[in-house]
Each structure stands twice: as C-alpha cells, then as structure tokens.
Amino acid sequence: MTGPQPSRRNFLRNSAVAAVGTASLAAVPNAFAAGTDSIRVGVIGCGGRGTGAAENICEAAGQDHNVTIHALGDVFEGQANLAADRLSKNSKVGEKFDVSPDRVFAGFDAYKDVIEACDLVILATPPGFRPLHIEAAVKAGKNIFTEKPVAVDGTGIRKVLAAAEEAKKKGLAIVAGTQRRHQTGYIESMEKIRSGEAIGDVITARVFWNQGNIWVRPRQPGMDDMAYQLHNWYHFLWLCGDHIVEQHVHNLDVARWAFGDMVPSSCVGMGGQQVNTDPGFGQSYDHFAVDYAFEDGRHVMSMCRQIDGCAKDVSEYIVGHKGTAHLMPGNYNLAGQRLRARGEVNPYVNEHINLLKSIAEGQPLNELERVAHSTLMAIMGRDSAYTGKELTWDEALNSPLDTFPTNLEWGPRPEIIVPKPGITNYA
C-alpha cells in the first residue's frame, strides 16, 4: 500500500461522516470538542455511582468513540480528589483519563465549572440536585447522562419537564440511568409482552423492591447539619426523595413500559417508619405500598421495603389475560417460558453505548420526559403515603412542595420531621 496512511482517529471520523452525513453530526450540539472528534466528559457527583458511570462510558466508548474523562466536580473536595485518584488508576478508564488538577472542582457551584469545561456531563449527585444540574446543562447545550430519579418533588419535575422540551429543541442527547430499558432481556421480553405474543392483553402489574436495610452513615466530628445530610443523603427528603423514589422508580418504570408508557391518573398509598426509627434514618419510611389507578381502568400494585429479616423480592409481574410475565435482571419468565437473552451486555455499559451511538449518528436519544414521568409516579405514591390522601397525577405534578433549600450553604438545617399520614399536608 502506498501513499498517506489514514490515522485511526481520522478513519473513525470519516467513517462516521460517511455513514450519517455531515449535517446530521452537526445536529447534535457539543457532540465533540471544537476541531476534534473527542467527546470531553465531565462527572458531577464523584461518589460510587459517578465514578462507576465514568468507568461505564469509557468501556462503552471502547475503540469506537474518542471519549476522555475531562473534569470532575463534587460538593466535597476530598471526594473529588479521591475520584480523580481512583479513576486515574482504573484499568477500564486507562488512557481515557485526562483530568488535570485544575479541572477537579469542589463546592456547591462545582457543577458550573464542569459543565463549562465539557461536551457531555454525567449527573450522579444525590437526586435532589438533579433539576438544578439538568437545567444548567441543557441551558449550556450539553449532552447528558443523568442518573435516576431526576427530581424529588413536583417542583423539581416541572423544571425537568421544561428542560426536556428545551433539550428537544436544541437536539441534545439525554439518556437516563433506568438501565432496564437498555437491557437485552428486558427489551426482548417487553417486545413480546406489548405485542400480545407472550401473555395476551396486559391487564395489570405488580412491582416490588423489598430488601433489607440500606446503609446509614454516622455524623463525623466537625460536620454541621448540611455536611451531615450530604454525607448521609439517602435519608433526607430534599436529597433522596425516599427509597420509593430513589430505588423503586426502576420497577415503576417497567410497569409504565408494559402499559405503553401511560401515566397513572391517581393513587392511594400507605407506609411508615415502623422499625428503622434511629435518627440516622432521617425522614425515610421503611415501607410503602401503593395502588396506582390508570384512566383505562387498569391498576398497578407497588410495594417497597427496607427492613432486615423480611421477605425479599426485586422484580416485576406483568399480568395478561393469557398468563403472567415475571421479570428481573437476568431472569425473564414469560408465562412459563424462559426467555434466554444471549450475549446480554452489561446494561450499565449499554446505556452509554446507546448514548454515544445516538450522538455519533446525529440522532440524539432524549429519555428525559419518560424518566421524569416515572419519577413523578414514584413521588405521587410517596406523597400519598406521607399524607394519607388519594392523589391525582395533576395534583402531584402541580404540588407546591419544594424541598430544595432556598439558600444552599453550609451550616444548620431545619429540624427533621417524619411525615405522618392524616397530619402531614403538602397542599
């Protein structure tokens, strides 16, 4: 072979352009750093999920996309530096780690610096920050991978839905961490369920996330209220939304998927803080049960619990007029017939493969509205349980409850009050 040899980078760029055309690549704002084919990724929230997502997107990029981890941001400086150290030594990140010390940001405004420095941001803070960070990233025209849930109250959901509309107009790619939607077994099962092939017409669903206790982090010496709540974020409403929102949203999202992504018209929920009453559990309930009603007369029964020593089940039962599908990650039973998902890719990686592919092909995925609706379904059930009232979808969406601090600063926080059905009122 004679003549100039094409570099691998140019080959990838030219191949992509040839496949989808220059115009479509240009249709995804900030797909690449100016003048290169590199996608600079920033991580906002450097705990376990943030560093895990950074590893996942590097594995997803593989040899097909020129991705670099370019900036890191966290409220806690020590956490940001720890993430930088760990990612620099991570074998799956390898040479894709390109974070200089001046691009490790800390503090409540660290997200602004990360967004400015990067083309694509990973949002992995506690979910209470999500509406603020999504708004800012969309306003800046950046592509997003956002962890679920995307809000913890109706006020936050309204901001996220507005951002979803703005993102559509700007042609941004936004993929959410509801990874079952990117898991081959779930995708193939849902195709058979929704077509009627597996269980006939879908009549109802029962969804569960029942497990033992989750972690509680004790207050460390010198921590003020804000620092402690951020450190023990899972158990404070404004940061987590409670486990029905933070965790059970996965199962509720599957139920909506089976129902053609309909939203419930109303719900009645119950729950309480029955066993886990130590102050470290904050406002968290340890169990919820919610009956969701849909406009076409169908119902979804939802249960989630975090109490040691009790029956466990993390799965979804989709009931049709010809049988029941029982789904859980890696195990898919369709009315007695096991579905074998051969070659199933780690869904935590696959969601990033789909995100990068959509950017490279100029056909950006935007899952933000869908995950916002699933998040609101969880919020609606929680608020019904907290208040003891039946709630409609519109009441949940238009709720005046705004849990985010007016002044985001270190120092004291208001007294923690555990919600009580029949007494707590968010109207």
Side-chain angles (χ1 to χ4, degrees):
M1 188 174 187
T2 59
Q5 300 297 304
S7 68
R8 182 182 162 279
R9 172 172 294 187
N10 286 337
F11 171 77
L12 289 174
R13 178 190 298 166
N14 294 338
S15 297
V17 170
V20 301
T22 304
S24 57
L25 278 176
V28 186
N30 283 303
F32 305 112
T36 77
D37 64 353
S38 173
I39 300 177
R40 302 171 302 182
V41 175
V43 181
I44 300 172
C46 294
R49 191 74 282 275
T51 53
E55 177 185 308
N56 296 149
I57 198 169
C58 290
E59 188 174 353
Q63 301 301 311
D64 296 328
H65 304 282
N66 187 7
V67 163
T68 59
I69 303 300
H70 190 72
L72 303 172
D74 196 279
V75 168
F76 295 112
E77 183 177 9
Q79 190 65 48
N81 288 328
L82 180 62
D85 181 62
R86 288 178 174 173
L87 288 171
S88 69
K89 301 172 182 174
N90 187 303
S91 61
K92 293 182 179 176
V93 175
E95 295 180 353
K96 294 181 178 2
F97 184 81
D98 183 31
V99 182
S100 59
D102 64 336
R103 293 198 299 274
V104 179
F105 305 104
F108 290 116
D109 288 336
Y111 73 96
K112 297 178 181 177
D113 295 313
V114 175
I115 289 171
E116 183 178 355
C118 298
D119 312 299
L120 185 155
V121 290
I122 292 172
L123 305 182
T125 62
F129 290 97
R130 209 83 78 223
L132 174 69
H133 295 170
I134 288 173
E135 270 189 333
V138 170
K139 184 177 181 180
K142 304 303 173 74
N143 300 297
I144 298 171
F145 172 80
T146 175
E147 268 302 337
K148 43 41 66 179
V150 292
V152 299
D153 52 38
T155 301
I157 288 292
R158 295 194 294 276
K159 293 178 181 176
V160 171
L161 288 173
E165 285 303 310
E166 185 178 350
K168 288 179 187 174
K169 294 174 184 174
K170 291 184 173 180
L172 300 176
I174 304 177
V175 165
T178 42
Q179 69 274 3
R180 286 164 173 75
R181 297 267 188 165
H182 299 269
Q183 189 159 8
T184 302
Y186 269 94
I187 294 169
E188 293 181 1
S189 295
M190 207 54 76
E191 287 174 354
K192 293 178 182 296
I193 290 169
R194 293 185 57 176
S195 71
E197 175 187 345
I199 58 173
D201 296 335
V202 175
I203 299 171
T204 187
R206 295 178 283 120
V207 295
F208 303 91
W209 195 304
N210 293 332
Q211 66 166 58
N213 286 354
I214 202 167
W215 52 263
V216 175
R217 294 171 178 155
R219 186 190 288 253
Q220 301 298 312
M223 279 185 168
D224 62 25
D225 288 350
M226 175 62 84
Y228 174 59
Q229 291 187 7
L230 289 165
H231 177 64
N232 191 34
W233 64 268
Y234 205 92
H235 301 290
F236 297 96
L237 178 61
W238 75 275
L239 285 162
C240 172
D242 218 324
H243 62 96
I244 186 174
V245 178
E246 201 282 332
Q247 192 175 59
H248 191 42
V249 66
H250 282 297
N251 314 106
L252 296 172
D253 185 59
V254 171
R256 288 192 56 241
W257 194 3
F259 277 37
D261 281 326
M262 292 178 66
V263 299
S265 54
S266 65
C267 76
V268 175
M270 60 184 65
Q273 194 183 71
Q274 185 175 7
V275 176
N276 297 325
T277 57
D278 183 273
F281 287 98
Q283 293 145 303
S284 295
Y285 273 16
D286 50 28
H287 66 285
F288 291 91
V290 186
D291 174 31
Y292 292 95
F294 288 72
E295 195 168 8
D296 61 6
R298 294 186 292 179
H299 285 248
V300 170
M301 172 55 74
S302 140
M303 296 184 190
C304 56
R305 179 172 59 199
Q306 292 183 343
I307 302 177
D308 285 341
C310 299
K312 298 177 181 177
D313 187 1
V314 180
S315 66
E316 305 89 22
Y317 298 80
I318 312 300
V319 182
H321 80 282
K322 293 181 179 178
T324 298
H326 184 203
L327 310 177
M328 66 180 73
N331 195 337
Y332 318 99
N333 189 306
L334 307 178
Q337 299 295 315
R338 185 177 180 186
L339 184 145
R340 298 186 183 278
R342 300 187 186 282
E344 188 170 82
V345 176
N346 179 352
Y348 290 93
V349 175
N350 209 33
E351 56 196 4
H352 290 282
I353 291 174
N354 293 336
L355 170 62
L356 295 174
K357 183 172 183 286
S358 82
I359 292 172
E361 293 183 348
Q363 298 178 0
L365 282 175
N366 186 339
E367 302 179 339
L368 191 52
E369 181 180 89
R370 189 263 298 159
V371 75
H373 285 165
S374 294
T375 301
L376 184 59
M377 184 176 179
I379 292 170
M380 179 183 179
R382 179 203 66 198
D383 287 353
S384 177
Y386 277 0
T387 62
K389 296 179 179 178
E390 179 178 8
L391 288 182
T392 67
W393 179 262
D394 288 342
E395 287 171 335
L397 178 60
N398 297 308
S399 168
L401 180 65
D402 184 356
T403 62
F404 200 72
T406 304
N407 297 313
L408 198 58
E409 58 189 14
W410 303 109
R413 292 281 301 141
E415 178 187 3
I416 295 302
I417 299 174
V418 179
K420 294 183 178 180
I423 298 175
T424 296
N425 188 352
Y426 292 147

